[in-house]
Amino acid sequence: MAGNSFGTIFRYTSWGESHGPAIGCVVDGVPPRIPLAEADIQLYLDRRRPGQSRFTTQRREPDQVEILSGVFEGLTTGTPISLLIKNEDARSRDYETIKDSFRPGHADYTYWTKYGIRDYRGGGRASARETAMRVAAGAIARKVLGESVRIRGALVQMGPHKVDRAKWEWSAVDDNPFWCPDRQMAQHWEGFLDGVRKAGNSTGAVIEIVAQGVPPGWGDPVYGKLDADLASAMMGINAVKAVEIGAGFAAAAFSGAENADEMRMRGGEVEFLSNNAGGILGGISTGQDVVLRFAVKPSSSILIPKRSVDRHGKEVEVTTKGRHDPCVGIRAVPVGEAMMAVVLADHLLRHRAQCG
Amino acid sequence: MAGNSFGTIFRYTSWGESHGPAIGCVVDGVPPRIPLAEADIQLYLDRRRPGQSRFTTQRREPDQVEILSGVFEGLTTGTPISLLIKNEDARSRDYETIKDSFRPGHADYTYWTKYGIRDYRGGGRASARETAMRVAAGAIARKVLGESVRIRGALVQMGPHKVDRAKWEWSAVDDNPFWCPDRQMAQHWEGFLDGVRKAGNSTGAVIEIVAQGVPPGWGDPVYGKLDADLASAMMGINAVKAVEIGAGFAAAAFSGAENADEMRMRGGEVEFLSNNAGGILGGISTGQDVVLRFAVKPSSSILIPKRSVDRHGKEVEVTTKGRHDPCVGIRAVPVGEAMMAVVLADHLLRHRAQCG
Amino acid sequence: MAGNSFGTIFRYTSWGESHGPAIGCVVDGVPPRIPLAEADIQLYLDRRRPGQSRFTTQRREPDQVEILSGVFEGLTTGTPISLLIKNEDARSRDYETIKDSFRPGHADYTYWTKYGIRDYRGGGRASARETAMRVAAGAIARKVLGESVRIRGALVQMGPHKVDRAKWEWSAVDDNPFWCPDRQMAQHWEGFLDGVRKAGNSTGAVIEIVAQGVPPGWGDPVYGKLDADLASAMMGINAVKAVEIGAGFAAAAFSGAENADEMRMRGGEVEFLSNNAGGILGGISTGQDVVLRFAVKPSSSILIPKRSVDRHGKEVEVTTKGRHDPCVGIRAVPVGEAMMAVVLADHLLRHRAQCG
Amino acid sequence: MAGNSFGTIFRYTSWGESHGPAIGCVVDGVPPRIPLAEADIQLYLDRRRPGQSRFTTQRREPDQVEILSGVFEGLTTGTPISLLIKNEDARSRDYETIKDSFRPGHADYTYWTKYGIRDYRGGGRASARETAMRVAAGAIARKVLGESVRIRGALVQMGPHKVDRAKWEWSAVDDNPFWCPDRQMAQHWEGFLDGVRKAGNSTGAVIEIVAQGVPPGWGDPVYGKLDADLASAMMGINAVKAVEIGAGFAAAAFSGAENADEMRMRGGEVEFLSNNAGGILGGISTGQDVVLRFAVKPSSSILIPKRSVDRHGKEVEVTTKGRHDPCVGIRAVPVGEAMMAVVLADHLLRHRAQCG
């Protein structure tokens, strides 16, 4: 219910359309007395912000977040934190041409069939602009998790081109406009994506998110499992079509003897000898890294004309002008990190509620 | 919260351990005056029941469901429907040997770390036996959906062996013990799985679930999306490690021009020319078939010894005796169908709530 | 949603009709490793059980509760606790005569208008028999709260006859069949209620519930306030028409100078000099006794004929035969205590979730 | 959980402190294509606004509401409606003196014990200023309910002075600053309240809310009862200490023969001959007027010094300066109406969800 809220104890409610006056969210359930300032949130919003390279939409939004409640003298008070970002560079004219037409691969048609009305400007509520609020809520979630939990993401596949895991360097991720952990592949992608962009086309991607430092015991079986909540969180991000945890689809081809992660003792602690489980067994964290991947489809906002229909049942051809990302997967990296943080923060509080 | 309930308006709460006196569930929110008898539920339970071929566990449970409330004179009353199945063939002795040890790949260790106590008999609450209640709730969900929505599942990959989609026949699915839609592959799997079983090993699988007849407009953006709820539903099934909708991970390699499903008019109705979206755009159903796949890891209950530790921090070797499935993915087919039904029934009611 | 569940983290779901095979509930969110046996629950069920004096219904139900899950070797496991009570003395014939008629003051007519179907036997789902599950859940809630929180209830008014608060003795409550804290009034009520019963009539009552030992800080403003949740809990009990906290309605006639509970320090602790607030300010517990009262209307099951209509729109006269309580308020005392326990246990866990 | 949201399908989340930059709420689950403009909401906010007579606080807030999302071209879109009101006349200096002290009868002490931090300016989150968002959400709820449901409120008791129900005129309610339905009593209250105000004291009140046109069948037994939800809604309003439905506490003194509302047929419709039930039986609406009353305690913000303690455990005397209402019950009338609207709108959608 209430399709615009996420989480249970750490719970946020997002609102706003791409071309309305503002977007925002209300984050409820945050523990009191956590230091929080706008800069803590802005840091992550800036990572997601469009217009930072030629590979993301040229829409220029400063995306300055304002905290309107829930923080007093630099500390959270335990009351709801209201965040607001004004929409500034909203060129609604760009969308007049597709006012009545349904862009293939977009939510235009489905919003229309569901609600019988839609704000067609820039995708309205279905716009990826909403993900700014996920990032903002995620920034607060990281504060709740504290320093001991570290969440990082990387783009591991662009179009058909996958990174070489042997060349993985986390330090590389911030050195290229793709969040690519393989420096060599980052260079290759640059050429590939320029080609895609110049062709007025777009490409899909796969993102990997890793959370280190999650203690064992988080997750509520059997319908509030940590992996089920992560799957929901990631699949709910715009354009995501697939989610896998640990070995994921590859596990289907494994034998039981190959798949089970063996355990030994090391320095008095349980140590796993592999991590096919992706840090989750029976819906509960094992203490290993929580590892997941998700696939983002190529944006349907392309310059290549596609056959469609309009709301009057007329057949049309649609070309999406506007300013768009040739690979929306790039900006999905900070969004995926944020959703990981939100799910983990909620489960930290849920675990504490029941198990003390 | 309340980690043992699933759904919002159509909502069920499941309870019970593998080796306790019984398992059951309470299904709430069911519309009144729907004809419902135990046989309607038994039909689907029988499809999931163990012991039906040499390829599933030899535990023999008649799994006779009893309706204890919510149905009067053959019709649902709108009050909660309580279902109960007695546990009959529960050989707890089988588990004495692993009482203190954590079976690798199972939830033993994580339940222990979370709760500091676990019912070790047959996996306790983490047992796949719980999926019987998913199937039972799913049978009621199908009644809510009515005849116009048809949900079917198939095993499309066993270990490394995938079906040939060109040979797909839905009618084949009921003719082999694997729910395999490719008759030729079914024969191949028979030999393959016999080998796995005799080696005391196990194998993973991929299941595909298809729902036909879902009208456009179901799904609550942006955090109650139909695909996000399906992802949560499937990922929450025991041993599932991955979920994809429509083209899924393959979409990552597509270009935007390839991926967008074009639309035309046909007989006054909107027709899509492809279904890479798997019937969902922006979290809302398009009216096309809803199509998803999920991967089931190989069972960790194998005869091959694996290294582990026990609850006293001692290193041990674990071999799982008991009676187990060499490919738990087989029995996940009716479970996946059921979860599809549960999610759709909930979204039918949710859509009706908001949009009339 | 899901109108048969109560609570958020400590959450139970109740099911069953008065004359079905059984009633039961599933209690979820219980912390692990709490000692729990059927006897712990039976203790409170026995206090509520009918047929214990001539002042309660002569229906004889042993009301033996069975724990079907969630407890292992005498301790809660953190998984859902399923409770079941078989219905044994269900004389459905008694209800054949009112099968088609709507008893005035009962839920017959409203269930019919809502669902278009109803189990007319003994009130079906609307029967006060459901309150047995409230009492059962309450017994578990008391275990969660531990010894430091003490919850007691008393009948403080029967019909127009109120207890004299100057004569209040908690020890008197168990010495009479009315839970009356005023020994003298208890004697008076005996004669009064005999008269009511012999006249085939019934009478209303007011119950007071007091929780001692609740620490300050429980309650979630501004829509999960402790008092709002208590009001919901009590108003939801069958036949309850009013709820007040602390001074309640009397506070309307107070001036601000009279009403505000002053505070002083005593032995290093904050001490309140009065308790008009009933232990709750701004929706959060103050550390004083939590005190509430609720009014129970007289049962509509009386031998005096009343005008009504039937489901075919025909005017009829209705007399309720069956076996009924002349003062249903008596049995509401343990039910009110239970609901206090359930709300407090939930708020204990909710507070721990957010505030650690 | 998430203590700042109310409702299930029609659900709003409120945020903001009395002296922060703004307050607001997000209303989710609103059906699409309902005409809605800021003026529709402002109408009700103006009824609640302070500073309109000498009997309410002289704080001057224009309380201009802005709609930031969820409405497009004058119609609701089915996406969340974000509302915002800027705080303009916030004199925080007034509160410096009580920064460290706990005002008796206020939530100061309890917020402090719960969160270990509080925004002391004007009560922060506990301020009655939050009720503006209840009124705003209520205005949208009225739109959802449509013209056929009419919700009105009146002040029926101020201090010890009750209206004469024989003199009740709904038309009088708007003709005096008290929402008093008894013109004669309104005049009497004027003198009474002047006396209270001049004495630097305050007084309590009782409010009655009536909803006409509610069809039979709304309400979800047994834990989502219409009366339980109304009790929660009203008890959750600032300073409310008691709620009753229909005959309420008076029902305790009735006999069953007096209390049961008899039914007859009239013009083919069921007619009740009385309304002791207050329009609700078994938690479901009967089709009669839904009638409730609630008591508001006198404000603790008075000029008369009261004994208290401060956060350092020092004994102090507290006098509340600021600008305050001598009878906060007056402004609770539109708030009570709004909460009635919110509960009914939610139950309309909930009923439609399950029962079509």
Side-chain angles (χ1 to χ4, degrees), chain C residues 72-268:
Chain C
F72 185 61
E73 299 179 342
L75 297 176
T76 60
T77 59
T79 64
I81 300 171
S82 175
L83 303 177
L84 185 138
I85 296 175
K86 295 205 180 82
N87 287 331
E88 303 201 341
D89 185 21
R91 300 193 203 155
S92 304
R93 281 159 307 164
D94 290 354
Y95 297 93
E96 278 297 318
T97 55
I98 52 109
K99 184 175 163 176
D100 290 328
S101 300
F102 303 124
R103 292 170 299 167
H106 273 289
D108 300 354
Y109 174 68
T110 53
Y111 269 67
W112 181 256
T113 55
K114 181 173 193 70
Y115 298 118
I117 181 175
R118 70 185 179 98
D119 178 348
Y120 54 81
R121 301 165 307 166
R125 181 71 182 146
S127 167
R129 182 144 182 73
E130 191 275 335
T131 60
M133 301 328 303
R134 298 177 187 243
V135 170
I140 297 176
R142 286 184 198 246
K143 287 279 181 178
V144 173
L145 291 167
E147 300 289 319
S148 57
V149 175
R150 183 173 193 185
I151 296 166
R152 290 185 290 192
L155 205 74
V156 297
Q157 180 182 337
M158 182 187 287
H161 308 292
K162 300 185 186 183
V163 300
D164 178 351
R165 300 188 81 89
K167 296 190 183 135
W168 189 296
E169 292 176 76
W170 275 114
S171 63
V173 160
D174 290 319
D175 294 348
N176 62 72
F178 311 115
W179 318 108
C180 179
D182 168 352
R183 290 178 200 277
Q184 209 169 313
M185 185 52 71
Q187 281 195 307
H188 182 71
W189 287 353
E190 200 160 325
F192 169 71
L193 197 55
D194 266 331
V196 166
R197 187 169 54 86
K198 282 169 187 162
N201 210 337
S202 64
T203 188
V206 175
I207 287 95
E208 180 164 321
I209 310 287
V210 179
Q212 291 178 296
V214 177
W218 292 2
D220 282 338
V222 298
Y223 296 105
K225 285 178 173 168
L226 185 55
D227 40 4
D229 283 3
L230 287 170
S232 165
M234 301 303 157
M235 192 67 92
I237 298 172
N238 306 45
V240 172
K241 299 305 287 183
V243 185
E244 61 181 12
I245 312 272
F249 273 105
F254 287 175
S255 76
E258 290 164 323
N259 184 67
D261 302 311
E262 296 186 297
M263 288 176 272
R264 295 279 87 174
M265 298 304 296
R266 185 174 177 151

Side-chain angles (χ1 to χ4, degrees), chain D residues 116-244:
Chain D
I117 181 175
R118 71 187 179 96
D119 178 348
Y120 55 81
R121 301 166 305 167
R125 181 69 183 147
S127 167
R129 182 144 181 74
E130 192 274 337
T131 59
M133 301 329 301
R134 298 177 186 242
V135 170
I140 297 176
R142 288 183 197 245
K143 286 279 180 179
V144 172
L145 291 167
E147 299 288 319
S148 56
V149 175
R150 182 173 192 186
I151 296 166
R152 291 186 289 191
L155 205 75
V156 297
Q157 180 182 338
M158 181 186 288
H161 309 292
K162 300 185 186 185
V163 301
D164 178 351
R165 300 189 81 88
K167 296 191 182 133
W168 190 295
E169 292 176 77
W170 276 114
S171 63
V173 160
D174 289 321
D175 293 348
N176 62 73
F178 311 114
W179 317 109
C180 180
D182 168 351
R183 291 179 198 278
Q184 209 169 315
M185 184 52 71
Q187 281 195 308
H188 183 71
W189 286 354
E190 199 160 327
F192 170 71
L193 198 54
D194 265 332
V196 167
R197 188 167 55 85
K198 283 169 187 162
N201 210 337
S202 64
T203 187
V206 176
I207 287 95
E208 179 164 321
I209 310 288
V210 179
Q212 291 178 295
V214 176
W218 292 4
D220 281 338
V222 299
Y223 295 106
K225 285 177 173 169
L226 184 55
D227 39 5
D229 283 3
L230 287 169
S232 165
M234 300 303 158
M235 193 67 92
I237 298 171
N238 305 45
V240 172
K241 299 305 287 184
V243 184
E244 61 182 11

Side-chain angles (χ1 to χ4, degrees), chain A residues 167-181:
Chain A
K167 294 189 183 135
W168 189 296
E169 292 175 76
W170 276 113
S171 63
V173 160
D174 289 321
D175 294 347
N176 62 72
F178 311 115
W179 317 109
C180 180

Side-chain angles (χ1 to χ4, degrees), chain A residues 39-54:
Chain A
D40 296 316
I41 302 167
Q42 198 62 47
L43 178 72
Y44 293 98
L45 285 170
D46 288 350
R47 282 164 53 90
R48 177 203 157 277
R49 202 175 54 202
Q52 302 192 99
S53 81
R54 70 180 182 278

